[in-house]
Amino acid sequence: MKLAYSLVDWQALAPGLHGRETWQDWAQQGTAITPTEAMAKPQFLPMMTARRLSGGSRAAVECGLAMLARQRADAIVFTSRHGELERNLRILNTLAAQQSMSPTDFAMSVHNSAVGSLTIAAKAPLVSTSIAAGIDSFQQGLIEVSALHQGGYQQVLLVDFDGIVPDYYLPWLSDQGVNFPYAVALLLRAGEELHCTGRTGGEGRAVAPLPQSLHFLQQWLAESPTFSLPGERLTWHWERNHG
């Protein structure tokens, strides 16, 4: 599998990291992200919408709105391994206790609630999709972006995100290397700036130090000429064309 892209613009949020300079320093220095650091307050997300969203979704929609405020997107792809896991556990606990369910939790519990919130907040009725594919969600999102490029959508906004995984689930997620809310938004065109090749022989359930999208952003900002993104079954090898 061979794919090619041009990265038009990017935006990201994580604990203690929000502006481009802080992200650049993080990538160059190779420092760890501290989960206890504060998340930046939303600058584009309406307050009432922000209050309805979970931490990861809030970061994703904020990054998406920031991108749409300065760039044109023809379609949107959201990827998330866990989606609304925090909210769904809360719903299950409520049902187990035979208590009344929160209408907000019920309405916002589906996997595509984040991308729907983005298009509503942006007042942009764009073609959108939401993908969950385990640890390979970001990689599968890139394949979806390529499919949209082939379908005539020139600029596609890809947003990868996740929130905090509740402690209840952690014993079954041995490969969960980090546990904090984050979002990475990439505006991608079909092009020759970035080439990636998928090869069999992923690292399976080995613990990854960073989610795929954060690892991608780190290598991009560090201007690495080549790097790899290990996954469940495929390892994607990236080559950057500076010419």
Side-chain angles (χ1 to χ4, degrees):
M1 180 183 297
K2 295 182 179 180
L3 302 173
Y5 309 91
S6 287
L7 179 57
V8 178
D9 201 355
W10 64 272
Q11 186 85 19
L13 273 174
L17 297 169
H18 57 280
R20 286 180 176 261
E21 290 185 3
T22 58
W23 279 105
Q24 192 74 54
D25 291 342
W26 166 77
Q28 295 290 342
Q29 297 171 13
T31 54
I33 298 176
T34 305
T36 55
E37 292 284 343
M39 294 284 287
K41 293 182 178 180
Q43 301 296 313
F44 296 87
L45 189 58
M47 183 180 299
M48 291 302 295
T49 303
R51 291 177 61 182
R52 290 167 55 86
L53 296 172
S54 59
S57 295
R58 189 182 306 122
V61 177
E62 171 69 9
C63 285
L65 288 172
M67 292 283 281
L68 293 177
R70 63 176 184 261
Q71 298 285 358
R72 186 197 88 249
D74 303 309
I76 305 172
V77 176
F78 266 40
T79 60
S80 176
R81 178 181 184 182
H82 301 298
E84 296 296 325
L85 197 58
E86 298 172 83
R87 195 183 300 275
N88 279 282
L89 180 61
R90 190 158 61 242
I91 290 174
L92 292 174
N93 286 332
T94 299
L95 292 174
Q98 297 183 341
Q99 297 176 352
S100 298
M101 189 187 307
S102 162
T104 298
D105 281 345
F106 180 77
M108 304 297 288
S109 63
V110 294
H111 192 271
N112 64 347
S113 62
V115 69
S117 296
L118 171 60
T119 57
I120 292 170
K123 298 179 180 179
L126 297 171
V127 170
S128 63
T129 187
S130 185
I131 292 174
I135 62 174
D136 291 327
S137 295
F138 175 68
Q139 292 184 1
Q140 294 302 310
L142 287 166
I143 295 174
E144 183 74 8
V145 169
S146 289
L148 288 165
H149 287 159
Q150 291 294 320
Y153 298 93
Q154 294 185 350
Q155 296 196 154
V156 181
L157 177 60
L158 171 61
V159 183
D160 181 71
F161 72 99
D162 258 314
I164 296 174
V165 176
D167 292 342
Y168 178 86
Y169 293 107
L170 292 178
W172 291 275
L173 293 169
S174 59
D175 58 348
Q176 184 76 22
V178 302
N179 196 14
F180 50 75
Y182 73 90
V184 176
L186 309 173
L187 187 63
L188 297 165
R189 291 179 62 92
E192 298 298 322
E193 186 179 22
L194 283 162
H195 296 262
C196 66
T197 304
R199 304 173 187 172
T200 56
E203 294 187 0
R205 290 289 177 178
V207 176
L210 286 172
Q212 291 174 344
S213 61
L214 281 173
H215 183 61
F216 173 92
L217 183 62
Q218 183 184 55
Q219 298 304 310
W220 170 265
L221 295 178
E223 299 186 355
S224 302
T226 61
F227 58 94
S228 297
L229 288 181
E232 185 80 26
R233 293 180 176 84
L234 287 179
T235 296
W236 282 25
H237 299 274
W238 290 81
E239 181 178 350
R240 186 170 183 172
N241 182 3
H242 291 276

